[in-house]
Amino acid sequence: MAVLDSVDRTLLRLLQDDATMPLAELAEAVNLTTTPCWKRLKRLEEDGILRQRVALLDPVKLGISFTAFVQIKTSNHSQDWFNHFVSTVTEFPEVMEFYRMAGEYDYMMKVQVADMKAFDNLYKKLVASVSDLTNVTSTFAMEPLKYTTALPV
């Protein structure tokens, strides 16, 4: 785990709020000149803490506000099956998050699509692409109550 001081943490919080914030504003916010601020940002990138800067899009305005959580059980736990499963699922652009789980289900995905028909198409594509799925259970979000990409730094 990386050692971060208060300046690093403040920079990370500011960038999580607005990754387009100019270097001069970031530097001023942490009481540094631009060169030391830039060096800190470069170090955070090189250390892999600052992985990338992205734009967050509005799924409602894009017509893809139907959120499903898909839990999957399998009877096959071989490395070959796992590799095929992961490579297949990660190619689906509708899959926003994908986890190997401990507990009742083996895997869980967060899926973002336009509607139930689009979800059904994704479901059919998944079960046709991957064998040995013994249980695929889906739940659907009715309303997002909290959404953030900001980590508590």
Side-chain angles (χ1 to χ4, degrees):
M1 190 166 105
V3 177
L4 303 174
D5 65 16
S6 63
V7 172
D8 292 333
R9 290 180 188 283
T10 301
L11 285 170
L12 292 171
R13 278 193 294 275
L14 290 168
L15 288 172
Q16 286 187 110
D17 286 339
D18 181 2
T20 66
M21 193 173 197
L23 179 61
E25 286 182 35
L26 286 168
E28 184 179 333
V30 294
N31 296 315
L32 291 175
T33 60
T34 56
T35 301
C37 184
W38 179 83
K39 286 181 180 178
R40 281 178 179 262
L41 292 174
K42 202 73 180 145
R43 179 181 46 80
L44 291 167
E45 287 174 340
E46 289 168 359
D47 290 349
I49 294 165
L50 182 55
R51 293 190 323 201
Q52 67 187 113
R53 300 176 200 196
V54 300
L56 299 177
L57 308 179
D58 187 324
V60 173
K61 292 182 180 177
L62 292 170
I64 52 171
S65 61
F66 189 89
T67 305
F69 296 92
V70 182
Q71 296 171 303
I72 297 170
K73 289 183 186 180
T74 183
S75 59
N76 190 337
H77 297 279
S78 72
Q79 190 65 47
D80 287 341
W81 182 91
F82 173 80
N83 292 341
H84 171 70
F85 179 56
V86 171
S87 68
T88 299
V89 170
T90 56
E91 290 297 316
F92 295 164
E94 305 91 342
V95 176
M96 306 305 297
E97 298 177 44
F98 180 37
Y99 301 94
R100 188 168 64 88
M101 305 296 290
E104 185 177 349
Y105 290 91
D106 298 312
Y107 302 93
M108 185 169 76
M109 300 183 282
K110 177 184 175 188
V111 174
Q112 199 74 39
V113 292
D115 52 25
M116 182 59 81
K117 175 101 173 100
F119 176 77
D120 189 43
N121 290 337
L122 174 72
Y123 172 85
K124 288 173 184 173
K125 191 165 89 172
L126 173 67
V127 298
S129 302
V130 181
S131 63
D132 296 323
L133 301 179
T134 59
N135 187 345
V136 179
T137 301
S138 303
T139 55
F140 307 102
M142 294 173 54
E143 175 184 17
L145 301 175
K146 179 180 179 179
Y147 171 80
T148 184
T149 61
L151 296 174
V153 292

